[in-house]
Amino acid sequence: MQKATPAAIAVLTVIAGGTALAPAALAADETGGNSLHATLSPVPTNKVTGSGTATVHLQGHEATITIKTQGLLADAPHAQHFHIGAKGQCPPASAAKKHNGSLSMNTTDGLPFYGKIGASLTTTGDTSASHAALAVDRFPKGASYTYHRTLTVDEETATSLRSDNAVVVVHGIDYNGNGKYDNNLGPSDLDATLPSEATNPALCGPLKTAPAGAVAGGMGGTQDGDTMALTAAGGLLVAAGGVMYLRRRGIRQN
Amino acid sequence: MNGFRPRGRRSVHTATAIAFTTTALALLAEVALSPSAPPAPPESVLAGRSDPSREPPQGSAQPLPASRPEHIDIPEVGLSAKIVPVGTTADGAIAMPKDADRAGWYNGSPTPGEYGNTLVVGHLDSANGPAAFYRLGALRKGDRISLTRQDGTRVGFTVTRMAVHPKGDFPSRSVYAPTSQPQLTLITCADWDDSQQRYRANLVVTGHL
Ligand SMILES: [Cu+2]
């Protein structure tokens, strides 16, 4: 069997010169914790055009969280939580209902998919599900923000995170596009003293285990024979004084 | 397999120095031109360097609903493969499809057309010959990649970056980082180490809508 890979020669030749250039990477589980990623997408029917990302590193019950958002309602607080204990999914458009005559998704509509609140991702103070869930003065404000905090989660939330079942939900929409939270969708299903716009889900992303390290993407079945052939050819060319030809030919090959 | 059947080895005759050289060149030509040679990524991306690329535009179209990818097609390099869902291995790496002729979509990543970083892996070769991502190294920036989803929609990506990273120093955080816009990341092996009989690196191809 003879299979050729001047490509392999090219790679070897070029890589040999500078292997130390790639940035150092910490393996996700180097510290024994869990690394999780989420992409935050607009909740369907809520007229949101924003997006974002979330990363969580969980060590025991300590969760180090980074959330980046863009395109949310400006100058407004955005409640944000880990939701847990349901399907670990974001609600599809079919979960929306008519609220005050307008098809939209309130927080309750999405519960069968993302579940109840597991932790409140406040900027300071309490992070519990029960007491801090709508502490609007302690949530990030603005269209685009970066949130970073390490907080302690309870056992149920930690377990949900580890089993790829937790979901990041960022709340606060501007359904009628008037630049503020108002009552066009009626009062909030969570707190009747707040407008529904202030608590409806805006962005949602399931947290999933981040892969770690390179992949094992080959077994060499196109390499073994080659090397013999190339070695044979190379050896003959060395004898003939033509090794540079081999190298140039190998590099040019694609 | 896949029509990449190598031709039989040519016997080497030794008579005069001229015959010697001629044979060497003939053998080399055969080696260099054999259709079974895996295509090399561009030289500029080897040794861990990556091509500089513009960032994708922010705030583009609304994302598609989730629907898992079932097929990948890259006509420019003759790559066409079924896609199956894959998870992770015990050490946390993305698992490879059992059938080396299929590509694997990491089931913890978004589906193509959703916002986020869709991760698709594939073998460069099996123990016997070329595999699903054998032709990946022939890609160049600007080439088009088409993914067909279970719901029948096709999502096209344009190659914006290619990089080769050593396995022992793999930048997981940047390669696997979540993105707020749709991104496609294809990964296969690169850099065969003949003495160890293993690949030393991964080729990472990045695409945007
Ligand atoms: Cu919430």
Side-chain angles (χ1 to χ4, degrees), chain A residues 4-5 12 25 209 213 215 217 222, chain B residues 31 37-38 106 124-125 170 176 200 202:
Chain A
T5 37
L12 292 175
T209 301
V215 304
T222 61
Chain B
V31 161
Y106 174 51
L124 177 78
D125 55 19
F170 191 78
Y176 301 132
R200 283 189 287 217
N202 274 183

Side-chain angles (χ1 to χ4, degrees), chain A residues 79-81 83 107 117 169 171:
Chain A
Q80 50 182 21
H81 313 106
H83 284 248
T107 299
I117 296 171
V169 180
H171 301 259

Side-chain angles (χ1 to χ4, degrees), chain A residues 2-5 7 12 18 22 25 37 70 209 211-217 219-224 230 236 239-240 246 251 253, chain B residues 6 20-21 24 31-32 36-38 43 47 58 92-93 96 106 123-126 128 169-170 172 176 189 191-192 197 199-200 202:
Chain A
Q2 174 205 314
K3 294 185 197 150
T5 37
L12 292 175
H37 288 166
Q70 58 190 19
T209 301
V215 304
M219 295 175 221
T222 61
Q223 303 286 354
D224 291 344
L230 280 170
L236 290 167
L246 168 67
I251 288 168
Q253 169 72 21
Chain B
F20 198 64
T21 306
V31 161
S36 77
E43 287 172 54
Q58 296 293 299
M96 301 304 291
Y106 174 51
H123 283 282
L124 177 78
D125 55 19
S126 67
N128 308 314
D169 196 15
F170 191 78
S172 297
Y176 301 132
C189 270
D191 185 17
W192 179 249
Q197 292 287 297
Y199 288 97
R200 283 189 287 217
N202 274 183

Side-chain angles (χ1 to χ4, degrees), chain A residues 1-8 10-12 14-29 35 37-42 48-55 57 70 164 208-237 239-240 245-246 249 251-254, chain B residues 6-10 12 20-21 23-25 27-28 30-34 36-41 43 46-49 58-59 62-63 91-94 96 106 108 110 115-117 119 121-130 134 138 140 164-167 169-173 176-181 187-189 191-192 194 197 199-202:
Chain A
M1 175 162 114
Q2 174 205 314
K3 294 185 197 150
T5 37
V11 170
L12 292 175
V14 180
I15 283 190
T19 37
L21 294 177
L26 290 171
D29 286 351
S35 285
H37 288 166
T39 298
L40 307 182
S41 298
V48 176
T49 55
S51 61
T53 59
T55 62
H57 190 261
Q70 58 190 19
D164 280 2
K208 300 294 177 191
T209 301
V215 304
M219 295 175 221
T222 61
Q223 303 286 354
D224 291 344
D226 310 339
T227 325
M228 290 169 56
L230 280 170
T231 304
L236 290 167
L237 282 166
Y245 175 82
L246 168 67
R249 185 62 187 259
I251 288 168
R252 204 177 295 132
Q253 169 72 21
N254 64 3
Chain B
R7 285 163 284 169
R9 181 187 293 276
R10 188 163 295 176
V12 177
F20 198 64
T21 306
T23 305
L25 289 172
L27 181 53
L28 179 61
E30 182 172 335
V31 161
L33 299 175
S34 164
S36 77
E43 287 172 54
L46 300 175
R49 281 182 296 144
Q58 296 293 299
Q62 283 284 293
D91 63 358
I94 300 177
M96 301 304 291
Y106 174 51
Y115 286 165
N117 190 3
L119 305 173
V121 300
H123 283 282
L124 177 78
D125 55 19
S126 67
N128 308 314
Y134 184 73
R140 294 297 180 267
V164 172
H165 302 289
K167 284 187 178 180
D169 196 15
F170 191 78
S172 297
R173 289 191 179 202
Y176 301 132
T179 59
S180 60
Q181 295 297 311
I187 311 173
T188 192
C189 270
D191 185 17
W192 179 249
D194 195 51
Q197 292 287 297
Y199 288 97
R200 283 189 287 217
N202 274 183

